[in-house]
Amino acid sequence: MTAAFLVLALRHHLRRQRIVSLAATFMMLGLAAFLFAHACDGTVRAYQLGNWPAPFGITLVLDRLSAAMLLLTAFLAACVAIYVAGGVDGRGRHFHPLFQFQLMGINGAFLTGDVFNLFVFFEVMLIASYGLMLHGGGPGRLKAGFQYVAINLVLSVVFLVAVGLIYAVTGTLSMADLAVKVPQVEPADAALLKTGALLLFLVFATKAALVPLHWWLPATYAGTSAPSAALFMIMTKVGAYAIIRVYGLVFGAGAGPLAFAAAPFVVPAALATLVLGAVGLVGSRTLRDLSAFAVIASMGTLLISLGLFDVAGLSAGLYYLVHSTLAGAALFLIAGIVLEQRGAASDRLISAPAMGGETLLAGLFFLAAIALVGLPPLSGFIGKVMILEAVRTSAIWAWIWFAILGASLLMTFGFARAGSVLFWGSGPVSEPKPLPALPGLAAVVLLIGATVAWTLAAGPAAGVLGLTAQQALDPDAYIRAVIPPAVQFAGEP
Amino acid sequence: MELLVAAGIGILTMVGIYLVLRAHTFPVILGLTFLSYAVNVFLFAMGRLTIDRPPVITPDAVAYTDPLPQALVLTAIVISFGMTALIVVLALRGFLETGSDSAHLDAPRTDKGDAS
């Protein structure tokens, strides 16, 4: 677990140069891979910061789920860092420090074992994301940024209220300790705790862009620069991760009357998210809007399977989570390249002079679109099949099938329209355009390659993720790792 | 005292929400500030209200207030202060660049004729 701390400590040694940033990101990738390999043996490792015993100090926890998320973050960050090295970071100042700070926030949020600490890491992540979101300026981006910041500030307040309520009832904020205390809560306090739990869910659902809390996402993601949007892909996943973590552990099966307090809302809202994402995708007028709505649709699909809160659903969801992060980030980066290439026409879905390297771009777009829609043979297809399989146990599985398949059809239509306008509907070439910058293309190819690899690795991955899901839904090992039985406390004032 | 604190939190929250729902940047910022004050007081109250007791646990202390909410509030104040500064700068930049303090994305710009 010391290594996990090193991942965090590394962040503070940053200089503004690209090289250091790239090196740090790749080092982080290596560390994350190391941690993942470490976590794969199935034990949960806890690191007590400052060596305070568990319920009092802040704990960092590494298990399969957080290690997998770390690895995904690190890989995505490496791709984004490569893309950025193509010159986007020169558009404004301080891209790299913000980038690394954001990574620190995201990693911290994945590793922390404490609800208030989760809040702090959320804020670290958000503050950096404000900077990244505004990077490279422009009035439209400023307005979108103001909305984004204001919404997140309101969310922070709600988060604090939820934390306060949970603390008031249970007297603890450590997640492992909460998992012990929540089932013992007096019936009189249960309503208060449930309010806290649902408010917390509200916060995570907004981060995960669950309808009706999704409205900030298209403006933000479409308003920001491509690499930031690609990195933000992992931020919606932080919301999903927090839902899994808090609801698998604290308000999970063992929580007595409070078990799965949010479960009745997740699946219907996720269905609405999926449908709205698909409809928005068909209706969007720029490639970046389209990508943002594709993110919403994929979050809908993801949350449907997470909403089941069983091992099959969760492992299918995790497979889909990795896939949608990679494919969505690839799509945003492609949108960024297209935006650069088309000049005045920007990324609006209208015909314009052909771009340099159009065939290659079109091919990459085609692959990313296939992956995101979930057509065979790429990983989106396998992920969706796994989800469709997993929801068979649900009472409303026919509706879910209908929504997922119908939304996929709509998305196919939307992507086909966008692709044909962008790449086939291009007018005559007025002047030869330069080829897109190599680092950008390399990053996209890397991401798409990872999607392909993820498809090929579906079998073993499903096995590993099944174990991950089992571990995430089993609070006992987690509690034992964080609070060794010898020092477990019966109660606190 | 419970009534006073609860009413205070309620009024602060009410004012905050009302202001946040206004579509201009300055009221939104004020509203966010009110909301963060409300939540800070709320966090204090969550550790049970105790008067004239130290928040330090020593062997000879007969009674003490819960120290944890104080730590939480301290962190929350720092974060909300930083955030407020950031959003003020952001709003100012937005105002200077677009010439309107409307928080809408598609609001007409003043330099095109019709003020929002």
Side-chain angles (χ1 to χ4, degrees):
Chain A
M1 226 19 245
T2 323
F5 185 59
L6 199 66
V7 174
L8 297 176
L10 248 184
R11 301 286 148 273
H12 304 294
H13 293 296
L14 289 165
R15 300 293 167 271
R16 287 169 198 168
Q17 289 96 359
R18 236 172 244 178
I19 302 152
V20 178
S21 178
L22 267 173
T25 313
F26 277 100
M27 221 183 304
M28 193 182 89
L29 184 61
L31 270 175
F34 171 71
L35 285 178
F36 183 72
H38 227 57
C40 264
D41 61 1
T43 48
V44 182
R45 289 177 173 77
Y47 178 79
Q48 315 286 2
L49 284 181
N51 212 9
W52 282 74
F56 303 119
I58 292 168
T59 319
L60 295 181
V61 183
L62 179 80
D63 66 350
R64 280 206 178 95
L65 180 60
S66 44
M69 298 302 286
L70 280 185
L71 190 58
L72 179 64
T73 313
F75 180 75
L76 183 71
C79 290
V80 172
I82 294 173
Y83 181 93
V84 162
V88 184
D89 51 355
R91 218 64 62 73
R93 274 172 302 164
H94 310 311
F95 186 92
H96 288 296
L98 287 169
F99 179 73
Q100 299 292 345
F101 266 119
Q102 170 138 35
L103 288 181
M104 166 175 129
I106 294 171
N107 286 340
F110 286 144
L111 282 174
T112 181
D114 178 295
V115 183
F116 189 77
N117 202 226
L118 183 65
F119 166 76
V120 175
F121 277 123
F122 257 57
E123 295 302 317
V124 171
M125 172 176 101
L126 288 173
I127 293 177
S129 79
Y130 302 152
L132 281 181
M133 145 104 215
L134 296 169
H135 184 79
R141 197 170 286 179
L142 273 172
K143 288 285 181 193
F146 183 82
Q147 283 193 347
Y148 176 63
V149 176
I151 287 160
N152 276 305
L153 284 181
V154 173
L155 270 188
S156 308
V157 169
V158 177
F159 201 154
L160 278 176
V161 171
V163 167
L165 280 173
I166 290 173
Y167 178 75
V169 176
T170 59
T172 180
L173 286 172
S174 158
M175 287 196 216
D177 203 24
L178 272 176
V180 178
K181 297 264 173 63
V182 163
Q184 306 164 356
V185 161
E186 313 255 323
D189 290 337
L192 208 57
L193 187 58
K194 191 168 181 180
T195 315
L198 289 181
L199 280 176
L200 209 56
F201 177 72
L202 190 77
V203 177
F204 300 150
T206 313
K207 277 262 75 43
L210 192 65
V211 164
L213 305 166
H214 69 283
W215 78 98
W216 58 271
L217 192 140
T220 308
Y221 281 35
T224 185
S225 61
S228 315
L231 187 63
F232 288 0
M233 284 300 301
I234 200 77
M235 282 178 47
T236 48
K237 307 303 185 291
V238 175
Y241 166 84
I243 292 176
I244 302 174
R245 179 55 83 216
V246 172
Y247 284 87
L249 184 66
V250 179
F251 301 106
L258 287 161
F260 303 122
F265 310 107
V266 180
V267 174
L271 283 177
T273 313
L274 174 60
V275 172
L276 190 127
V279 172
L281 192 148
V282 174
S284 50
R285 273 174 290 180
T286 69
L287 188 53
R288 284 180 297 173
D289 272 343
L290 184 114
S291 317
F293 277 108
V295 173
I296 292 186
S298 73
M299 283 315 286
T301 318
L302 172 59
L303 288 166
I304 287 173
S305 62
L306 297 188
L308 299 172
F309 291 113
D310 60 10
V311 173
L314 194 54
S315 53
L318 287 175
Y319 183 86
Y320 191 78
L321 186 151
V322 174
H323 143 75
S324 74
T325 308
L326 297 174
L331 189 62
F332 270 114
L333 294 186
I334 292 172
I337 298 179
V338 170
L339 182 73
E340 303 273 307
Q341 290 289 309
R342 300 216 326 165
S346 177
D347 62 339
R348 271 171 295 156
L349 297 177
I350 49 173
S351 53
M355 293 164 273
E358 186 168 85
T359 329
L360 181 59
L361 271 181
L364 291 173
F365 176 80
F366 183 62
L367 285 176
I370 286 183
L372 267 177
V373 171
L375 288 174
L378 286 181
S379 53
F381 174 70
I382 298 174
K384 278 197 175 162
V385 168
M386 282 166 81
I387 290 175
L388 290 178
E389 260 317 298
V391 297
R392 286 294 287 275
T393 51
S394 164
I396 52 166
W397 69 271
W399 283 102
I400 300 178
W401 276 51
F402 176 69
I404 292 186
L405 296 176
S408 301
L409 185 68
L410 271 181
M411 284 167 72
T412 315
F413 175 66
F415 273 115
R417 190 187 66 119
S420 49
V421 171
L422 275 180
F423 299 110
W424 287 342
S426 43
V429 188
S430 49
E431 67 209 76
K433 291 266 178 63
L435 281 171
L438 191 65
L441 279 182
V444 176
V445 170
L446 209 56
L447 279 169
I448 302 231
T451 317
V452 175
W454 191 234
T455 316
L456 295 177
V464 173
L465 292 177
L467 292 174
T468 309
Q470 250 168 16
Q471 198 184 40
L473 291 176
D474 164 38
D476 290 340
Y478 190 97
I479 297 168
R480 269 202 311 278
V482 178
I483 312 173
V487 291
Q488 244 175 39
F489 288 84
E492 231 202 299
Chain B
M1 187 172 78
E2 279 82 359
L3 181 72
L4 204 63
V5 172
I9 296 171
I11 292 170
L12 280 173
T13 314
M14 191 177 71
V15 172
I17 290 175
Y18 174 77
L19 286 172
V20 166
L21 293 178
R22 304 287 304 270
H24 291 270
T25 51
F26 186 61
V28 169
I29 293 169
L30 278 188
L32 287 170
T33 318
F34 272 110
L35 277 180
S36 70
Y37 289 155
V39 81
N40 289 342
V41 182
F42 177 79
L43 278 182
F44 259 127
M46 280 302 104
R48 308 286 183 275
L49 293 171
T50 320
I51 298 182
D52 292 343
R53 299 276 177 239
V56 182
I57 304 175
T58 50
D60 53 323
V62 271
Y64 50 87
T65 61
D66 195 341
L68 192 81
Q70 312 216 351
L72 298 192
V73 169
L74 190 60
T75 319
I77 288 176
V78 171
I79 289 178
S80 73
F81 189 70
M83 291 291 194
T84 311
L86 180 90
I87 199 169
V88 166
V89 172
L90 200 57
L92 201 60
R93 265 295 287 283
F95 176 69
L96 292 177
E97 290 215 6
T98 64
S100 103
D101 70 339
S102 163
H104 286 297
L105 278 179
D106 45 1
R109 291 171 52 169
T110 36
D111 55 358
K112 278 184 188 160
D114 48 352
S116 55

